[in-house]
Amino acid sequence: MSDKSLRPGVVTGEAYKTLVDAAKSGGYALPAVNVVGTNSINAVMEAAAKAKSDIIIQLSNSGGAFYAGAGMPDGFQAKVLGSVSAAQHAHLLAERYGICVAMHTDHANRELIPWIEALLDEGEKYYELHGKPLFSSHMLDLSAESLDFNLDECARILERMAKIEMSLEIELGVTGGEEDGIGSEFDEAEDNAKLYTQPEDVLRAYNLLNPIGHFSVAASFGNVHGVYKPGNVKLRPEILKNSQNLVQKTHGTGDNPLHLVFHGGSGSEKAKITEAVGYGVFKMNIDTDTQFAFSAPIGKFVNENQKAFLYQVDPDDGTPYKKFYDPRKYLRAGELGIVARLQEACNDLGSKGRSIAES
Ligand SMILES: [Zn+2]
């Protein structure tokens, strides 16, 4: 049990900082799960409640658009309104699940800065009305740009976010693999400096951003998005330690001054996860694994009930199939798949049983 506890529900501002610090000082990290609709968002909250773990829910820009409906004519508005809708959904319901939920958005590259700025317009309106922002944190991933551009933009956006008590996640170094088409093209050779975050870059970010507001760093230590054949990914969590040490030494801070984020967590070895958490990782992104966890049970259900997906009534014996093709049947199977997969994630990350929400 932590010395600080929070009201259950969506946490922002000081409560979000408390959540991050509780994870780091408690030696665990929170799963950050990408959602695309009410089925996945509810399943994630159900999973967290079952594991008695706090949780981070996040939307990519395309996840936000899908939340608004893939057929919505204005694609940009869909990215904005779908993300707002998901956040409002969590604000309304999370409290009832009895755990703390942090709401994040995922990668936003240079082209997606207008998405973040539009979300901040909405966040500021929400703050005016409710005294808290819609989201706990947004992410800017400008790792494909020059370091100067990356940091200057992060500083500019964080200035605005700090006024409504939000945190910013930045990316230094490129996470490999495929995620919304970002960061997918590069040489995976071990000596590729782009793949491994440089401590000097992290120190520059800290010097610039720490006086402005709360921020976290998605650092690259060989992690990749997606799941690949074993042996293709060489995680080197000790890279994270070098950045922590440099900031700590330069600024005379306590241990692990940086709030670190582990991208591409799907399919990672437990020992490497534990090591990374020891170096100040408080958030591990899981997307690919929960996609499969949702889809696999649905595939199984369809296989086992093939006729119900071809006929409303059996053409041979007249059996009605309504109770099998009712979408709730297979969507629930998918939700339970997410709930089961996230129990493992909470175990691996050490967050199981560690919720700091008041009961
Ligand atoms: Zn990522």
Side-chain angles (χ1 to χ4, degrees):
M1 195 59 204
S2 167
D3 52 341
K4 281 217 175 120
S5 59
L6 300 170
R7 279 190 48 139
V10 174
V11 294
T12 58
E14 286 304 315
Y16 176 76
K17 291 182 198 171
T18 299
L19 190 71
V20 172
D21 292 343
K24 286 172 69 187
S25 63
Y28 63 92
L30 299 174
V33 190
N34 285 59
V35 298
V36 297
T38 54
N39 291 113
S40 44
I41 207 167
N42 293 342
V44 172
M45 292 191 291
E46 180 182 349
K50 189 175 178 194
K52 295 191 165 42
S53 166
D54 299 315
I55 199 95
I56 298 169
I57 292 175
Q58 62 187 17
L59 293 121
S60 67
N61 71 95
S62 64
F66 194 82
Y67 206 99
M72 196 166 147
D74 183 334
F76 179 76
Q77 277 302 307
K79 288 180 200 298
V80 177
L81 294 178
S83 307
V84 169
S85 178
Q88 286 180 338
H89 181 95
H91 277 275
L92 184 66
L93 299 179
E95 188 185 339
R96 307 304 169 123
Y97 284 85
I99 36 91
C100 295
V101 172
M103 285 303 295
H104 280 231
T105 52
D106 206 357
H107 297 264
N109 64 7
R110 190 172 187 159
E111 285 68 48
L112 288 166
I113 293 172
W115 173 53
I116 295 302
E117 294 190 294
L119 284 177
L120 288 175
D121 292 341
E122 297 296 330
E124 285 164 356
K125 280 189 246 167
Y126 195 89
Y127 190 86
E128 188 102 330
L129 283 172
H130 303 279
K132 59 184 174 182
L134 261 174
F135 281 88
S136 317
S137 171
H138 290 316
M139 180 186 190
L140 278 183
D141 174 3
L142 303 175
S143 56
E145 312 297 327
S146 71
L147 186 64
D148 284 342
F149 182 84
N150 185 346
L151 296 182
D152 287 350
E153 273 301 278
C154 287
R156 182 179 73 81
I157 297 283
L158 183 57
E159 296 266 6
R160 194 173 162 192
M161 295 173 83
K163 294 192 181 97
I164 55 170
E165 301 179 65
M166 288 188 66
S167 181
L168 173 67
E169 181 179 338
I170 70 169
E171 178 146 336
L172 297 169
V174 176
T175 306
E178 181 70 49
E179 187 172 82
D180 282 355
I182 293 165
S184 54
E185 296 300 324
F186 64 94
D187 177 6
E188 288 197 26
E190 245 187 277
D191 57 357
N192 184 345
K194 270 235 133 183
L195 259 189
Y196 299 108
T197 299
Q198 306 299 303
E200 304 74 41
D201 295 354
V202 178
L203 180 63
R204 265 190 66 188
Y206 185 90
N207 292 344
L208 179 69
L209 301 179
N210 194 54
I212 303 174
H214 193 268
F215 73 101
S216 59
V217 182
S220 301
F221 53 104
N223 37 333
V224 296
H225 289 126
V227 174
Y228 300 91
K229 260 184 12 201
N232 281 6
V233 178
K234 286 193 189 67
L235 285 180
R236 298 172 57 196
E238 67 275 11
I239 300 249
L240 303 173
K241 184 70 188 146
N242 300 338
S243 291
Q244 294 283 19
N245 284 348
L246 183 60
V247 173
Q248 184 184 0
K249 217 174 66 194
T250 309
H251 289 276
T253 66
D255 277 351
N256 290 344
L258 300 157
H259 314 307
L260 297 177
V261 180
F262 183 163
H263 279 244
S266 290
S268 298
E269 283 169 66
K270 168 106 164 69
K272 296 290 185 184
I273 293 172
T274 306
E275 192 184 347
V277 170
Y279 300 143
V281 166
F282 75 98
K283 168 180 187 259
M284 187 170 92
N285 291 4
I286 309 170
D287 185 11
T288 312
D289 278 359
T290 44
Q291 287 181 337
F292 186 71
F294 185 76
S295 300
I298 294 176
K300 184 165 180 275
F301 184 89
V302 174
N303 263 327
E304 286 169 358
N305 301 285
Q306 287 187 21
K307 277 185 156 181
F309 289 84
L310 293 169
Y311 312 106
Q312 282 189 282
V313 176
D314 193 297
D316 299 325
D317 62 18
T319 308
Y321 285 129
K322 177 172 161 50
K323 65 179 180 211
F324 298 101
Y325 63 72
D326 179 338
R328 285 173 293 189
K329 280 285 183 190
Y330 55 88
L331 290 174
R332 182 62 186 151
E335 289 175 0
L336 290 174
I338 289 182
V339 172
R341 176 63 188 85
L342 288 180
Q343 302 310 302
E344 286 171 44
C346 293
N347 256 330
D348 289 351
L349 294 173
S351 67
K352 197 175 172 89
R354 307 294 296 275
S355 173
I356 62 167
E358 292 160 3
S359 44

